[in-house]
Amino acid sequence: MPERPLDPSERECEVFCAYLIDGRPTEYVQRKYALGHGAIPFRRGANHTRFDERLVALARRGPWFTRIADAYARFFRPTSPLRQKLVLLVAILENAPPSHTYLNSAEASGPLAAAIRALVSGTGFVLALLVGMVLLGPWQLAASSEPAATGPGGSDHG
């Protein structure tokens, strides 16, 4: 039997899980993400723009795009819907098996190995941020005066 197509919330959850834990969400995580999504602050009329909606749409395209959009949003849109959605999902993943083991465990290693991992991770973040600044900065400037297409409260998944 062919698989049914994913709705936008399920697709979003799958892509964001691939980005956050390099894995797929369980049915429990999917369900909690859909439930929690309705309560995050941007849904209650928090100020957001078309750029925020475009940032989420870009992030939904795949984990690589999510990394760039997240790095950019971390500095230039820290309270954006994208950041709120990722924080929600991290909270769910931290408390759901089997992802809680991945997120809550610390790898025992020496200081050199830890320093190398930090350097690699930091370099990856800086590169993603630079790509985001080049690609998304002008996009944000152009869209900054536009109100959100859906008005207060946002769309179901935007």
Side-chain angles (χ1 to χ4, degrees):
M1 177 175 7
E3 288 187 33
R4 69 173 178 77
L6 297 177
D7 74 28
S9 174
E10 291 171 324
R11 166 78 179 143
E12 184 175 282
C13 188
E14 287 214 349
V15 169
F16 292 173
C17 279
Y19 165 64
L20 293 168
I21 61 169
D22 197 26
R24 295 183 55 112
T26 63
E27 191 175 308
Y28 172 83
V29 169
Q30 285 276 17
R31 193 170 58 250
K32 292 300 181 184
Y33 183 73
L35 262 170
H37 193 271
I40 56 181
F42 90 91
R43 307 271 304 146
R44 293 191 301 273
N47 205 10
H48 70 282
T49 65
R50 281 188 193 271
F51 176 75
D52 292 318
E53 294 169 4
R54 292 173 184 157
L55 198 58
V56 170
L58 175 69
R60 275 192 203 125
R61 295 185 73 184
W64 188 79
F65 292 102
T66 306
R67 182 177 178 98
I68 291 168
D70 183 32
Y72 183 85
R74 170 64 186 92
F75 284 96
F76 301 103
R77 297 294 297 161
T79 60
S80 68
L82 174 63
R83 296 286 297 169
Q84 292 177 36
K85 289 168 180 264
L86 291 171
V87 168
L88 169 66
L89 189 54
V90 166
I92 294 166
L93 292 168
E94 280 182 326
N95 294 287
S99 55
H100 75 286
T101 304
Y102 176 83
L103 291 172
N104 294 317
S105 63
E107 194 175 301
S109 62
L112 181 60
I116 290 170
R117 273 196 315 278
L119 181 63
V120 169
S121 178
T123 301
F125 176 80
V126 169
L127 289 174
L129 178 59
L130 290 173
V131 170
M133 289 170 65
V134 169
L135 297 178
L136 300 173
W139 198 11
Q140 182 180 9
L141 288 173
S144 64
S145 62
E146 301 174 9
T150 56
S155 66
D156 286 345
H157 306 289

